[in-house]
């Protein structure tokens, strides 16, 4: 039940926002709410990962991939994530969550989430998360090439960052 209301709002608002191409960056303006805080009164470490899910939901809907994914019976699964905390997000602080596809191989799609400051804090990076994800059809892995083709992208993957791939292995 964690973040159901925010998830529903993300999905609803994504339908009215401009469509994104596969390699475009999604950006959402969010705020730290009291339910996001830990005992140290800053955003809980685990909450960053949960809020990153919102960025993936937005990307699925704004790229138009959600109905195609459902029609094919595919579902996403996170394999590994790596998180870098830089600064604390404080109560009621606004921030931007950006989400984008970095690159892919035969099996995995690598996504980046960035928690960035706004206003006077616009140049500050608070947290970066890289997620390695794949899609399943039942128990079968859907090849990344098929996924990006269905998304309407006919180009090659951007160059892979071998150091980042190693960090997620």
């Amino acid at each position: 039940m964690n973040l159901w209301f925010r998830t529903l709002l993300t999905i609803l608002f994504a339908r009215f926002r401009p469509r994104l191409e596969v390699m475009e960056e999604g950006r959402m303006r969010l705020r730290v709410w009291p339910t996001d805080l830990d005992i140290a009164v800053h955003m809980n470490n685990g909450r960053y990962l949960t809020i990153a899910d919102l960025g993936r939901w937005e990307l699925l809907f704004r790229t138009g991939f959600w109905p195609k994914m459902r029609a094919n019976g595919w579902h996403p699964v996170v394999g590994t994530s790596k998180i870098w905390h830089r600064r604390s997000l404080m109560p009621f602080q606004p921030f931007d969550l950006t989400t984008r596809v970095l690159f892919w191989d035969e099996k995995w799609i690598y996504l980046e989430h960035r928690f960035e400051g706004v206003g006077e804090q616009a140049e500050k990076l608070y947290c970066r998360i890289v997620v390695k994800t794949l899609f399943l059809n039942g128990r079968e892995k859907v090849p990344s090439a098929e996924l990006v083709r269905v998304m309407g992208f006919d180009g090659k993957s951007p160059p892979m960052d071998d150091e980042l791939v190693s960090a997620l292995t």
Side-chain angles (χ1 to χ4, degrees), residues 8 23 29-30 35 37 47-49 58 80 82 91 93-94 101-102 109 113 120 123 126 151 153 155-157 159:
L8 292 173
M23 296 307 295
R29 175 74 42 93
L30 298 167
T35 54
L37 305 176
R47 186 64 94 182
Y48 287 93
L49 292 167
E58 188 201 37
T80 308
K82 175 112 173 122
Q93 181 178 350
V101 174
L102 290 174
I109 295 178
H113 303 283
E120 295 175 4
E123 298 299 316
Y126 286 83
M151 285 187 225
F153 186 77
K156 292 182 179 180
S157 170

Side-chain angles (χ1 to χ4, degrees), residues 50-83:
T50 305
I51 289 177
D53 284 342
L54 299 177
R56 290 192 296 279
W57 279 112
E58 188 201 37
L59 209 59
L60 284 172
F61 278 88
R62 289 187 62 200
T63 58
F65 187 60
W66 174 259
K68 296 172 185 176
M69 179 186 93
R70 301 306 299 160
N72 284 293
W74 300 339
H75 62 277
V77 177
V78 170
T80 308
S81 57
K82 175 112 173 122
I83 187 167

Side-chain angles (χ1 to χ4, degrees), residues 18-158:
R19 182 168 161 63
L20 291 174
E21 296 302 320
V22 173
M23 296 307 295
E24 285 186 289
E25 175 182 271
R27 180 175 294 269
M28 302 171 58
R29 175 74 42 93
L30 298 167
R31 183 174 300 275
V32 179
W33 293 110
T35 54
D36 300 327
L37 305 176
D38 62 16
I39 196 80
V41 195
H42 61 203
M43 189 184 295
N44 179 288
N45 294 333
R47 186 64 94 182
Y48 287 93
L49 292 167
T50 305
I51 289 177
D53 284 342
L54 299 177
R56 290 192 296 279
W57 279 112
E58 188 201 37
L59 209 59
L60 284 172
F61 278 88
R62 289 187 62 200
T63 58
F65 187 60
W66 174 259
K68 296 172 185 176
M69 179 186 93
R70 301 306 299 160
N72 284 293
W74 300 339
H75 62 277
V77 177
V78 170
T80 308
S81 57
K82 175 112 173 122
I83 187 167
W84 294 266
H85 295 280
R86 297 286 180 239
R87 298 176 172 78
S88 293
L89 283 168
M90 305 309 288
F92 303 106
Q93 181 178 350
F95 62 92
D96 281 348
L97 170 63
T98 65
T99 303
R100 68 184 179 114
V101 174
L102 290 174
F103 47 81
W104 58 87
D105 60 21
E106 301 81 28
K107 178 178 174 183
W108 300 102
I109 295 178
Y110 296 80
L111 302 165
E112 178 186 54
H113 303 283
R114 296 173 62 87
F115 292 71
E116 300 173 343
V118 299
E120 295 175 4
Q121 308 299 316
E123 298 299 316
K124 291 188 178 177
L125 175 64
Y126 286 83
C127 180
R128 178 181 185 223
I129 301 172
V130 176
V131 174
K132 180 172 89 169
T133 188
L134 57 75
F135 284 75
L136 296 175
N137 186 359
R139 291 181 174 241
E140 299 294 317
K141 296 171 184 78
V142 180
S144 297
E146 184 175 352
L147 291 169
V148 295
R149 182 188 57 74
V150 168
M151 285 187 225
F153 186 77
D154 59 1
K156 292 182 179 180
S157 170

